[in-house]
Amino acid sequence: MIRILPLTIAERLDFYHQDHLLTGWDDLTPDQQAAFAAELETVDFDQLMDLLAQQKSHHSAEDETPAQRAYRAQPPSSLVRLPRTAAEQAEWKTAEQRGEDLLRAGKVGAILVAGGQGTRLGYDHPKGMYPLGPVSDAPLFQLLCEQLLARARRAGHTIPYYIMTSDATHDETVAFFQKHRFFGLPKADVYFFQQGNMPAADAQSGQLLLSDAGQLAMSPDGHGGLLQALSSSGMLENMQDRGVEYLYYHQVDNPLAIVCDPAYLGWHDLSGAEVSTKVIAKRSAAEKMGIAVDVDGVTQIIEYSDLPDEVAQRKTASGDLELWAGSTAIHVFSREFLERLAHGRWQLPFHIAHKAVPSYVPGEGLKTPEKPNAYKFERFIFDILPQASKALIVEADRTREFNPLKNADGVHSPDDVRRSLVNLHLGWAEEAGWEIPDATPVEISSLVALDAAEFAEQVGQQVQPEKTDRGWIWS
Ligand code: UTP
């Protein structure tokens, strides 16, 4: 007899060689069984099996690997460099004015991706809650929200903030915003929406892992989960209803990002790009950053793990790195571009990472492996660049705009990022004529000034900082 769909869960698991997941089923309570059954229903096993098969055949397939393609990488052709001459400064000024016009007309929204698990930092809460203000201890969320609020005030128009969370960060993030009254932003301008999850699979057997009895080991599906999440949460319609045409995209970990930077928005619009990416000069060939390049005339970002050493090391005749343009993960998207992709058939590819994932075995408990044991599947938002009719690369100054909080120690650690913030604000204070005693940390709230010129104009020598044991602060 021909079996009629739908298959039961047990049959599906058997079909995909995943019936180990039902070991221990009888020990679950009826509620746990119902929840587990519902979770298993959400898993796209066909997609997972395809991904695992691709991973296995990776080295033998005729398909070119990203690393092989990287050999043809050239510096990006559609590029705006930092201004070096008076003429270039005038062009940047024109771009800035264009961006200010867009902000004033209410055509700009901001997207913050805050769904990551922050494993390298090892902080027990969403990374946005991390206290990072060098003098104030303000959390990352506050540093970013206050920038947005100040930018909106300057523009004389609100800027909606679209904040992507995940199962790992959603509840705590929303509660934190409520507790802090949205850091001064109008509540009606802050939208939370959640990205999806992907299960982790044992690297040897392809069997999905459990995190507890009756629970799959799941993790957020990468910042590229944004595209799907924007569409399924109704945020794309919200943007359209609000008349938003340009989205400034940034990540929760970089407090130096110039949120809704007018010059950047202006360049994006004036050049007719559908997506733009800010880059900085890499410090060395070995620095672990994605790089913006052209391959076969198509502008794209190559992940650092896909860049062969000898390609990363290539130098120009003058001795500089040929592929120098490290991505800051700060983008501008045209809303219509996101809509076109979200409603079309094309999907962001998954990247597969080999990671140590704790796994629960019924009867044995939770085991934490010392070495990578599993594959995790993530989408990266920068993979949308080649889909754009035009992708623009815009150069930024590292000391001004880039030091993300990634690690517990060393580079991109809390101390390192605080140092960058202090150095930035020290420069603004000194430009305005302040003499700061040696080794005194300095912090300037975005609500006081967004840049050196505004600080000099608005504050100058008139407003005394609060002098605390931790340093000087203008807030
Ligand atoms: P990272 O790739 O640096 O990941 O995220 P992470 O979670 O912060 O840290 P590690 O790798 O586990 O140590 C860059 C940005 O993308 C967001 C993060 O919240 C951060 O703003 N992100 C990452 C998501 O929103 N969702 C994800 O699934 C992954």
Side-chain angles (χ1 to χ4, degrees):
M1 194 181 87
I2 295 171
R3 191 181 288 281
I4 310 287
L5 289 174
L7 299 175
T8 65
I9 290 176
E11 286 166 326
R12 278 179 75 209
L13 293 180
D14 183 42
F15 181 79
Y16 292 107
H17 305 294
Q18 298 289 338
D19 40 358
H20 69 288
L21 292 171
L22 295 183
T23 313
W25 175 265
D26 293 340
D27 300 328
L28 301 177
T29 64
D31 281 353
Q32 285 174 323
Q33 288 181 344
F36 192 30
E39 186 174 47
L40 290 169
E41 284 293 351
T42 65
V43 176
D44 184 340
F45 285 101
D46 282 330
Q47 179 189 52
L48 276 172
M49 296 307 118
D50 279 356
L51 288 169
L52 287 166
Q54 271 171 35
Q55 176 69 8
K56 269 207 175 132
S57 63
H58 201 64
H59 301 292
S60 59
E62 289 100 54
D63 281 355
E64 199 178 33
T65 63
Q68 285 165 335
R69 267 163 17 101
Y71 280 90
R72 298 197 303 282
Q74 298 294 321
S77 53
S78 186
L79 172 69
V80 178
R81 303 290 316 235
L82 282 167
R84 286 168 174 81
T85 62
E88 286 168 355
Q89 260 154 15
E91 284 171 14
W92 274 78
K93 192 80 208 153
T94 306
E96 185 182 341
Q97 283 161 355
R98 177 73 192 141
E100 281 166 359
D101 289 346
L102 298 175
L103 286 158
R104 209 171 302 121
K107 293 188 174 173
V108 178
I111 294 174
L112 177 67
V113 288
Q117 292 170 302
T119 37
R120 284 168 289 173
L121 181 64
Y123 178 57
D124 267 352
H125 304 284
K127 212 189 262 186
M129 290 168 60
Y130 196 92
L132 206 62
V135 181
S136 65
D137 255 350
L140 267 163
F141 279 134
Q142 179 178 346
L143 298 176
L144 299 173
C145 286
E146 289 186 349
Q147 266 210 64
L148 192 77
L149 181 58
R151 182 75 61 202
R153 283 184 184 158
R154 218 198 242 192
H157 203 293
T158 56
I159 305 172
Y161 210 7
Y162 300 95
I163 302 178
M164 184 170 84
T165 58
S166 63
D167 275 353
T169 64
H170 184 80
D171 293 349
E172 261 192 289
T173 299
V174 173
F176 196 64
F177 269 74
Q178 281 165 346
K179 180 171 157 211
H180 291 277
R181 295 164 188 268
F182 294 79
F183 303 103
L185 290 170
K187 202 173 152 195
D189 290 332
V190 181
Y191 301 97
F192 295 100
F193 61 105
Q194 266 180 269
Q195 67 179 109
N197 283 320
M198 282 295 279
D202 181 87
Q204 296 295 321
S205 63
Q207 292 187 329
L208 299 193
L209 302 181
L210 295 171
S211 62
D212 203 344
Q215 277 176 33
L216 289 174
M218 290 279 206
S219 41
D221 59 356
H223 40 64
L226 174 71
L227 204 54
Q228 166 90 46
L230 278 177
S231 157
S232 59
S233 63
M235 290 301 143
L236 287 174
E237 279 113 62
N238 176 297
M239 290 166 183
Q240 186 172 21
D241 292 347
R242 291 191 59 138
V244 168
E245 289 177 24
Y246 303 93
L247 279 310
Y248 173 93
Y249 164 104
H250 63 141
Q251 305 192 329
V252 73
D253 48 24
N254 181 17
L256 284 104
I258 304 176
V259 179
C260 293
D261 175 9
Y264 185 34
L265 289 159
W267 275 120
H268 175 89
D269 187 37
L270 290 171
S271 70
E274 288 193 313
V275 57
S276 297
T277 298
K278 262 200 194 184
V279 298
I280 53 174
K282 270 176 71 172
R283 278 201 175 116
S284 67
E287 190 177 13
K288 289 182 173 174
M289 301 182 82
I291 47 159
V293 296
D294 281 5
V295 178
D296 306 333
V298 179
T299 303
Q300 56 201 273
I301 291 175
I302 300 183
E303 178 63 343
Y304 67 81
S305 51
D306 288 332
L307 189 66
D309 224 27
E310 58 183 298
V311 181
Q313 303 275 0
R314 283 195 320 225
K315 300 265 166 64
T316 62
S318 47
D320 299 322
L321 283 181
E322 183 189 77
L323 303 179
W324 59 272
S327 170
T328 61
I330 299 170
H331 307 286
V332 177
F333 303 123
S334 294
R335 191 201 76 234
E336 285 180 1
F337 173 55
L338 295 178
E339 268 170 4
R340 192 173 80 230
L341 293 183
H343 298 150
R345 290 166 57 92
W346 180 82
Q347 294 214 326
L348 282 163
F350 276 100
H351 295 249
I352 303 182
H354 198 199
K355 292 270 168 89
V357 177
S359 98
Y360 173 87
V361 180
E364 295 176 36
L366 190 69
K367 296 183 173 178
T368 305
E370 289 188 352
K371 285 192 270 170
N373 60 323
Y375 290 133
K376 284 170 89 171
F377 307 93
E378 285 194 32
R379 289 178 155 138
F380 297 158
I381 194 63
F382 57 71
D383 281 328
I384 73 175
L385 260 74
Q387 301 300 315
S389 58
K390 173 163 179 155
L392 178 72
I393 306 298
V394 179
E395 188 185 12
D397 173 5
R398 177 192 291 264
T399 53
R400 173 63 190 85
E401 298 190 38
F402 187 73
N403 196 352
L405 178 63
K406 299 281 186 198
N407 303 317
D409 304 297
V411 72
H412 303 317
S413 65
D415 283 349
D416 186 41
V417 182
R418 285 193 192 107
R419 231 180 342 261
S420 293
L421 284 166
V422 167
N423 287 340
L424 177 69
H425 292 161
L426 194 63
W428 297 5
E430 286 177 348
E431 252 180 67
W434 286 90
E435 275 180 33
I436 314 280
D438 260 359
T440 305
V442 171
E443 184 175 341
I444 298 171
S445 159
S446 297
L447 299 177
V448 171
L450 278 170
D451 52 42
E454 190 176 32
F455 187 75
E457 247 167 56
Q458 304 288 329
V459 177
Q461 290 287 314
Q462 326 306 320
V463 182
Q464 283 289 329
E466 191 187 336
K467 295 175 183 171
T468 75
D469 331 339
R470 311 223 9 211
W472 292 13
I473 179 163
W474 282 267
S475 59

